[in-house]
Amino acid sequence: MSEPFSFRLIATDGAARTGAMTTAHGVVHTPAFMPVGTQASIKGVHHDDVRASGAEILLGNTYHLMLRPSAERVAALGGLHAFMRWPHPILTDSGGFQVMSLSPLRKISEDGVTFRSHIDGATVELTPERAVQVQLLLGSDIAMQLDECVQLPAERADIERATHLSLRWAERCKRVFENAPPGRALFGIVQGGDDPALRAESAGALVDIGFPGYAIGGLAVGETQEVKLGIVSETVPALPADRPRYLMGVGTPADLLEALARGVDMFDCVMPTRNGRHGLAFTRFGPINIKNAHHADDPRPLDPQSRCPAARDFSRAYLHHLFRSGEALGGTLLSIVNLYYYQDLMAGTRAAIAAGRFADFAGETKEQWIAKRDLGG
Amino acid sequence: MSEPFSFRLIATDGAARTGAMTTAHGVVHTPAFMPVGTQASIKGVHHDDVRASGAEILLGNTYHLMLRPSAERVAALGGLHAFMRWPHPILTDSGGFQVMSLSPLRKISEDGVTFRSHIDGATVELTPERAVQVQLLLGSDIAMQLDECVQLPAERADIERATHLSLRWAERCKRVFENAPPGRALFGIVQGGDDPALRAESAGALVDIGFPGYAIGGLAVGETQEVKLGIVSETVPALPADRPRYLMGVGTPADLLEALARGVDMFDCVMPTRNGRHGLAFTRFGPINIKNAHHADDPRPLDPQSRCPAARDFSRAYLHHLFRSGEALGGTLLSIVNLYYYQDLMAGTRAAIAAGRFADFAGETKEQWIAKRDLGG
C-alpha cells in the first residue's frame, strides 16, 4: 500500500503516448478512461461490471461524498476503496467544480469557497486545506487540488482572477498534502479558460510548484470543440513529458481521439453512463439511439463482435422494449455497453500507440463510425 | 423442445411435498418460487443474477406483454424465451388479474373482458381464446387460463358469478389450447373468493375438466392471512396429488412457509424485487430496513454466510448510503439479495421435505427471524 506513485512512459507516437501509472492500489495503463462514481456508485452499474469492462481506475466526487455520507464516515468505514468495495485505484476531484455547478449561494474568497449544501441547505466551507483533508480521509490514490472553474464564455478579468486564485490554492494544497501517507499523489490543475496566455501562465506556474501529474481543467464547460482542442494543443507542450496529463470531464469518443492525438493520458466523463441511461449506445458503428422506433423489430444485437456481453446477447428490439417500457435494466445494459466501448477505445489506443500506428487507428475508428452507420443507428 | 410436460412427486412430509416439473425448457424443482418479469424484465436485475440466485422459472405478465411490445412482435422475434434471453422455463399469467387491477373502463361479459390499455387508452378485447393465443405466441412453457379475479371483501353473489364465469372460461381455454405445440401446459385456476363452498365447487369442476396443474387464484387481494391460509388449507385437498399446485401472487417468507406446510408447490410474487427497491432486505435474521439511520455506520454485511455476493460483500453502511443518495444500485443489490433469499428458502424447504424434517426447518427458520432480530434489523 505504500508503493510510491510513479508514471512510466512506454511508447510515444507523434504527440500520443502510452504509459503506466503505479498507485497504492495498482497499476493504471494509460491512456485511461475513468468512469465517474459520483456518490460512490457508477450509476446503475454493478462494480463487477465496471471492472469487467476494463476500468482500472474510478473517479469519485469529493463534493458529493463530503456532504453524504461525509468524509469522516467514509474514513471510519475504512476509506472509499473499502466503503464502496472497489479495491483498485481511485481518483477524487477536489469538489470545486461541483460547488460551482450544483450549490446555490456560493461565495468565493481568498480563503476558499463557502456554499450551501444542495442536500440540506447547510453552510459548508471548502478551503484548499479542507479539500485535501477530505480527499485524504476518502483515501483516494490521486487527489486533485482545489481550483476555481469558470463557466465559459467569461470576461478575461474573471478568468484571470480565477486562474491566479487557483494557483495560490495549488500551493496551499501541495503544502498540506506533504503530510499525506506515502503512495498518494496530488495533481495540479491548469486553468485559464479559453485564453492561451493565461493557460500558458497557469501551466508554467504549476510546473514550478511541481506535481506528480497535471490536469487540464475548466474545459467541457460550454466552449466549442475547436476552442477545447485548441487549449489542449497549446497546454500539453507546457507540461512535462514524464508526468501524466489528465483532461477533466471529457468527452465523446471523437473528443477522446482528438485529445489522445494531442498527448492526453487520462479522461473522466459521465457520458457513457448518462447517455446509456438515456438510450444512447456507443458502438463501433457510431452512436445508436435505441429508443428510435425502427429498432422495435430488429433482432440483431448492438454488436455481435463486442467484448461486452450486453452488446452481444440482447437484441436491439429487446433493448428498445426496455426503454419504451421504462425498465431500469435498459439503462443499466446500455451503460455497461458504453463503459466497455470507452475502455476498448482506450485499449485499442494503447495498442496502436505501442505499434506506432495511432493515426491509422484513429482514422479507421472514425471511418467505421461513418461507413457502418446504415448498419448501426 | 417437445418433451411432454410432466410432474413427478419426489417426497412428501405431512402435507408438504417436493417434486420436479419437466417443461419444454427444462426441469423445475418444486417447491419453486418464480420471480416476476412483468415487462420481460425482472425489475432492475440482470438475468444472469436472477439465474445465479437459483431461479429455475420466471413469470411473465401477459397483460403487459400483449400491450407492449405485443405478443405478435415477441413471436416474430422468436418468442419470449429468445426475446428476453431467458432460455429456461417461463410461466405466463392470463392477463386477467392485471386487467382488473390496472386498466380503467373494463367491461366483463360472457365472451371475455374489454378494457382500455393503461398505456395508450386503446380498447383491447381479451377473451379466453385470445388469452391462450397470446400465451402461445409468447411461447411460455406454462400458460394460465383466463379467469375473473374478484377483489376481497366482496358480496357472495359477485364471487359466485365470477367463479362460474371463470369455470366456463376454463373450458374454453382448454379447448383452444388443444392446438398448442407439444410440451406446453395450461393450468386451471381455482376461484371462489373467501367462500369455502365456492372454492370446493371451483376445484372440483376444474379437476373434472382436467388440467396438468392447478392454481389457487384470487388471493393476496386484500384478505387477511388467516382467510388466505384457510382457503389454501381447504382447497389443496380438493386438488389431485399428482399435479403441481400454484398459489398465485403469494407472498412474504412467512406466507410461503405456511403455504408450503399446506402442500403448495409453486409461488410467484413481486415482493423480493419491489421490497428490495424500497430498501427492505429479507435475510436469515428477518427483514432489515436498510434505510433506517442506525445502519449508516454499520460495517457489517447483511449476512456474511449468505450465498449471495451482494449480501456478503457490501456493508450495511454502503447499502444505506446508496438508498439515502437515491442511487439505483441500492435497489438492484437488495433485489438480488431478496431473490437469493427466496430461492434459498425454497432450496432449504426441498431438502427438508426430502429429509422428512420440514416442520423443524420451518420452525428453525422462523425462530432465527425472531432470535437474531437484534443482530439484524
Side-chain angles (χ1 to χ4, degrees):
Chain A
M1 297 288 282
S2 59
E3 178 131 1
F5 177 89
S6 68
F7 177 67
R8 184 170 60 88
L9 215 50
I10 294 171
T12 58
D13 181 8
R17 23 195 267 147
T18 180
M21 211 163 55
T22 301
T23 78
H25 287 86
V27 172
V28 177
H29 296 90
T30 64
F33 179 81
M34 302 184 282
V36 178
T38 308
Q39 301 186 109
S41 159
I42 307 293
K43 284 201 185 302
V45 181
H46 194 290
H47 305 29
D48 292 347
D49 291 315
V50 177
R51 185 64 177 169
S53 76
E56 294 181 323
I57 178 169
L58 292 188
L59 180 140
N61 282 128
T62 288
Y63 172 85
H64 288 281
L65 296 168
M66 72 184 282
L67 297 182
R68 186 174 53 199
S70 90
E72 283 70 15
R73 178 167 275 155
V74 171
L77 289 161
L80 188 54
H81 296 84
F83 178 62
M84 68 183 291
R85 209 205 56 146
W86 176 265
H88 316 294
I90 295 177
L91 177 148
T92 45
D93 62 11
S94 69
F97 182 81
Q98 265 88 20
V99 168
M100 312 303 163
S101 58
L102 289 181
S103 68
L105 298 174
R106 61 184 182 275
K107 234 168 89 180
I108 295 168
S109 69
E110 184 63 31
D111 194 41
V113 52
T114 306
F115 63 95
R116 288 275 182 89
S117 159
H118 75 287
I119 297 170
D120 61 4
T123 300
V124 182
E125 219 195 335
L126 189 63
T127 61
E129 291 76 16
R130 176 65 182 158
V132 166
Q133 185 195 18
V134 165
Q135 293 179 82
L136 290 176
L137 285 166
L138 295 174
S140 53
D141 299 282
I142 302 175
M144 302 301 297
Q145 71 151 98
L146 187 66
D147 59 345
E148 185 190 347
C149 179
V150 176
Q151 194 82 17
L152 295 177
E155 298 291 324
R156 191 185 191 276
D158 284 339
I159 300 173
E160 183 170 8
R161 186 197 50 72
T163 303
H164 291 158
L165 180 64
S166 295
L167 285 172
R168 294 191 296 277
W169 285 0
E171 287 192 52
R172 285 165 59 186
C173 284
K174 188 183 175 183
R175 206 170 308 133
V176 63
F177 200 80
E178 273 159 15
N179 303 317
R184 301 203 193 162
L186 175 73
F187 282 18
I189 303 177
V190 178
Q191 287 290 351
D194 51 5
D195 188 302
L198 283 174
R199 287 279 173 182
E201 183 193 343
S202 176
L206 285 172
V207 173
D208 286 345
I209 300 170
F211 288 95
Y214 297 90
I216 304 174
L219 292 177
V221 291
E223 78 287 355
T224 64
Q225 205 207 22
E226 195 191 337
V227 166
K228 178 162 58 199
L229 294 175
I231 293 296
V232 171
S233 297
E234 286 157 9
T235 306
V236 163
L239 299 172
D242 63 347
R243 304 290 157 94
R245 303 153 183 170
Y246 162 28
L247 180 56
M248 303 182 83
V250 173
T252 64
D255 285 339
L256 265 51
L257 286 178
E258 295 299 332
L260 290 164
R262 289 162 173 78
V264 170
D265 304 304
M266 299 165 67
F267 304 90
D268 81 277
C269 194
V270 294
M271 209 168 263
T273 45
R274 180 175 293 166
N275 286 10
R277 287 198 306 284
H278 294 152
L280 196 84
F282 292 107
T283 75
R284 281 191 300 136
F285 318 125
I288 294 178
N289 185 343
I290 203 70
K291 291 196 278 191
N292 284 345
H294 67 92
H295 297 299
D297 295 298
D298 193 337
R300 295 175 306 163
L302 285 170
D303 181 356
Q305 291 169 46
S306 174
R307 192 174 55 84
C308 173
R312 273 193 329 254
D313 295 348
F314 295 103
S315 68
R316 297 177 188 204
Y318 181 64
L319 296 171
H320 173 86
H321 165 72
L322 292 177
F323 275 91
R324 282 295 170 104
S325 306
E327 286 289 342
L329 184 61
T332 294
L333 292 176
L334 255 54
S335 295
I336 294 173
V337 166
N338 292 345
L339 290 172
Y340 272 78
Y341 184 77
Y342 269 67
Q343 293 301 334
D344 286 352
L345 191 63
M346 294 297 109
T349 297
R350 290 193 296 266
I353 293 170
R357 55 179 305 280
F358 173 70
D360 286 349
F361 170 80
E364 288 156 14
T365 299
K366 283 186 271 191
E367 265 167 44
Q368 214 172 19
W369 291 340
I370 298 160
K372 300 216 177 157
R373 190 163 288 169
D374 58 321
L375 227 144
Chain B
M1 297 287 283
S2 60
E3 178 129 4
F5 178 89
S6 68
F7 176 66
R8 183 171 61 88
L9 213 51
I10 294 171
T12 58
D13 181 9
R17 24 196 265 148
T18 180
M21 209 163 57
T22 300
T23 79
H25 287 85
V27 172
V28 177
H29 296 90
T30 64
F33 179 82
M34 302 183 281
V36 179
T38 308
Q39 302 186 109
S41 158
I42 308 294
K43 283 200 185 303
V45 181
H46 194 290
H47 305 28
D48 292 347
D49 291 314
V50 177
R51 184 64 178 170
S53 77
E56 294 182 322
I57 178 168
L58 293 188
L59 180 141
N61 282 127
T62 286
Y63 172 84
H64 288 281
L65 295 169
M66 72 184 280
L67 296 182
R68 186 175 53 199
S70 90
E72 282 70 15
R73 178 167 274 154
V74 170
L77 290 161
L80 189 54
H81 296 85
F83 178 62
M84 69 183 290
R85 209 205 56 146
W86 175 266
H88 316 293
I90 296 177
L91 178 148
T92 45
D93 62 11
S94 70
F97 182 81
Q98 265 88 21
V99 169
M100 313 302 164
S101 58
L102 288 181
S103 68
L105 299 172
R106 62 182 181 276
K107 234 168 89 181
I108 296 168
S109 70
E110 184 64 32
D111 195 43
V113 53
T114 306
F115 63 94
R116 288 276 181 90
S117 160
H118 75 289
I119 297 170
D120 61 5
T123 301
V124 182
E125 218 195 336
L126 189 63
T127 61
E129 291 76 17
R130 174 67 181 158
V132 167
Q133 185 194 19
V134 165
Q135 293 179 83
L136 290 177
L137 285 166
L138 296 175
S140 52
D141 300 282
I142 303 175
M144 302 301 298
Q145 71 150 101
L146 187 66
D147 58 345
E148 185 191 347
C149 179
V150 176
Q151 195 81 17
L152 296 178
E155 298 293 323
R156 192 186 191 277
D158 285 337
I159 300 173
E160 185 171 4
R161 186 198 49 74
T163 303
H164 291 160
L165 181 64
S166 295
L167 286 173
R168 294 191 295 275
W169 286 359
E171 288 191 52
R172 285 166 57 187
C173 284
K174 188 181 176 184
R175 206 170 310 133
V176 62
F177 199 80
E178 273 158 16
N179 304 316
R184 301 201 192 164
L186 175 74
F187 282 19
I189 304 177
V190 178
Q191 287 291 350
D194 51 4
D195 188 302
L198 282 174
R199 287 279 173 184
E201 183 192 342
S202 176
L206 286 173
V207 172
D208 287 344
I209 301 171
F211 289 94
Y214 297 90
I216 305 173
L219 293 178
V221 291
E223 78 287 355
T224 64
Q225 205 206 22
E226 196 191 335
V227 167
K228 176 163 56 199
L229 294 175
I231 292 295
V232 172
S233 298
E234 286 158 9
T235 305
V236 164
L239 299 173
D242 63 348
R243 304 289 156 96
R245 303 152 182 170
Y246 161 29
L247 181 55
M248 303 183 82
V250 174
T252 65
D255 285 339
L256 264 52
L257 286 178
E258 295 299 332
L260 290 165
R262 289 162 173 78
V264 170
D265 304 305
M266 300 165 65
F267 304 90
D268 81 279
C269 194
V270 295
M271 209 170 263
T273 44
R274 181 175 292 167
N275 286 10
R277 287 198 306 284
H278 293 153
L280 196 84
F282 292 108
T283 76
R284 281 191 301 137
F285 318 124
I288 295 178
N289 185 343
I290 204 67
K291 292 196 278 193
N292 284 345
H294 66 91
H295 297 298
D297 296 298
D298 193 337
R300 294 175 306 163
L302 284 170
D303 182 355
Q305 291 169 46
S306 174
R307 192 174 56 83
C308 173
R312 272 192 331 252
D313 295 349
F314 294 103
S315 67
R316 298 178 187 204
Y318 180 64
L319 296 171
H320 173 85
H321 164 72
L322 292 178
F323 275 92
R324 283 294 171 103
S325 305
E327 286 288 343
L329 184 62
T332 294
L333 292 176
L334 254 56
S335 294
I336 294 173
V337 166
N338 292 346
L339 289 172
Y340 272 79
Y341 184 77
Y342 270 67
Q343 293 301 335
D344 286 352
L345 191 63
M346 292 299 109
T349 296
R350 291 192 295 264
I353 293 170
R357 57 180 303 281
F358 173 71
D360 286 350
F361 169 79
E364 289 156 14
T365 299
K366 284 185 269 191
E367 265 168 43
Q368 214 172 19
W369 292 340
I370 298 159
K372 301 216 176 159
R373 190 163 288 170
D374 58 321
L375 226 145

